[in-house]
Amino acid sequence: MFQASEWAGRCLLSRSDLKIPEHIAVIMDGNGRWAVEQGLPRTEGHRAGEEALMRWVRAGRKLGVKEMSFYTFSTENWNRSVSEVNFLMNISKEIMVKRAPEFIDLGCQVRWVGRKGRIWSSVLRELEVIQEKTKRCTDMVLNFCINYGGRAEILDAVNEIIDNASAGKLKKVTEKSFAKYLYSPTMRDVDLLIRTSGEVRTSNFLPWQLVYSEMVFIEDKWPDVDESTLIRCLEQYTSRDRRFGKA
């Protein structure tokens, strides 16, 4: 028998009046503040945030979203305390190991998007393992942006283009060819960006891919989100008139 909350979630996810974005990008903000409000260590907020992430992955899959990107660890997050950075690296690794069977069951092809640089080799190894395990999954692409920064991505692309041009391998750059040098060349443009916890900025997240995305900023802290929260965001998205520069 379904619990009441599960039944409500199923009803919400069956709504036919919503426009479903192909690609939803999420800035998962508010874990630390949520934990402090609960009288818990900041790290427990990240632990609760893992459950919120899985709720939205399951909901996105049921709704038919083709791609979801989660801002997991930015290039600026290295400025946090050593203990919090260590926790975030470890939990990223744990998620890849623990959640791999469910990602496969959901048909999610997991991809890592980011810069190698300072990322722990143990984390990188698990990311490579799960990418291999899920490479044949075709229902939804699931991007984990770890050690990611939008400016870093663009600069890395520019430097690779310069190297290829210097070697005589490249004469002209177009938008289409430039995108091939990004961390995930096949990533769709973002249709909907959602940020939690009341902050209203993009924080160096996917600047190339966000150019025509709709943006929704909500007050809910990330550990508190569920299927109904995602539906509220989709209601806003559905109400928008996306003209892409046309009159």
Side-chain angles (χ1 to χ4, degrees):
M1 180 177 292
F2 296 129
Q3 296 293 326
S5 59
E6 185 180 356
W7 176 253
R10 284 174 174 256
C11 292
L12 286 168
L13 296 175
S14 66
R15 283 179 48 177
S16 60
D17 60 319
L18 296 173
K19 293 179 183 176
I20 304 302
E22 287 198 352
H23 186 184
I24 298 176
V26 185
I27 301 176
M28 306 176 288
D29 198 10
N31 290 343
R33 278 165 284 167
W34 177 90
V36 170
E37 289 175 1
Q38 308 295 319
L40 300 169
R42 284 178 57 85
T43 51
E44 288 306 304
H46 299 305
R47 186 74 69 187
E50 177 190 344
E51 297 299 328
L53 182 146
M54 294 307 301
R55 288 195 290 272
W56 272 27
V57 169
R58 296 179 196 118
R61 172 67 184 84
K62 291 175 185 175
L63 286 162
V65 177
K66 296 298 184 184
E67 189 162 8
M68 296 187 81
S69 298
F70 293 93
Y71 206 3
T72 311
F73 188 94
S74 76
T75 50
E76 289 76 31
N77 285 156
W78 295 105
N79 295 321
R80 296 188 178 186
S81 69
V82 172
S83 60
E84 188 168 358
V85 167
N86 289 346
F87 184 88
L88 288 168
M89 284 288 109
N90 279 315
I91 197 172
S92 296
K93 181 170 57 176
E94 289 172 16
I95 289 171
M96 297 307 118
V97 175
K98 181 172 67 175
R99 302 293 184 174
E102 184 170 4
F103 291 146
I104 293 170
D105 287 344
L106 289 169
C108 294
Q109 183 181 125
V110 177
R111 296 178 185 171
W112 165 58
V113 180
R115 206 182 220 181
K116 287 187 177 179
R118 299 168 67 182
I119 194 170
W120 290 8
S121 59
S122 58
V123 176
L124 187 56
R125 184 165 55 250
E126 293 304 334
L127 289 166
E128 290 170 347
V129 167
I130 197 167
Q131 286 182 139
E132 179 64 24
K133 285 182 177 179
T134 63
K135 68 181 182 181
R136 291 183 177 83
C137 297
T138 58
D139 292 322
M140 184 168 75
V141 174
L142 188 55
N143 300 309
F144 286 99
C145 301
I146 303 176
N147 197 31
Y148 176 86
R151 288 185 174 181
E153 178 177 34
I154 290 171
L155 285 173
D156 288 347
V158 168
N159 284 319
E160 190 174 353
I161 287 168
I162 290 171
D163 289 342
N164 284 346
S166 298
K169 298 178 182 178
L170 186 68
K171 293 182 178 180
K172 184 180 179 181
V173 178
T174 63
E175 284 190 21
K176 187 175 181 179
S177 65
F178 183 87
K180 293 178 181 179
Y181 291 90
L182 298 174
Y183 295 148
S184 182
T186 59
M187 181 185 285
R188 296 171 174 83
D189 282 349
V190 176
D191 297 302
L192 172 62
L193 170 74
I194 302 170
R195 182 170 187 153
T196 57
S197 197
E199 302 293 348
V200 185
R201 55 180 177 272
T202 59
S203 295
N204 201 20
F205 187 42
L206 301 176
W208 180 269
Q209 299 86 347
L210 285 178
V211 288
Y212 272 109
S213 71
E214 299 299 321
M215 300 185 185
V216 174
F217 301 94
I218 58 176
E219 295 294 329
D220 312 59
K221 294 181 177 62
W222 178 246
D224 289 327
V225 304
D226 58 15
E227 293 87 352
S228 63
T229 321
L230 181 56
I231 292 297
R232 284 194 284 114
C233 295
L234 291 178
E235 287 172 340
Q236 287 198 49
Y237 175 78
T238 300
S239 71
R240 306 279 178 87
D241 181 14
R242 305 187 75 204
R243 295 187 299 274
F244 299 97
K246 299 176 183 177

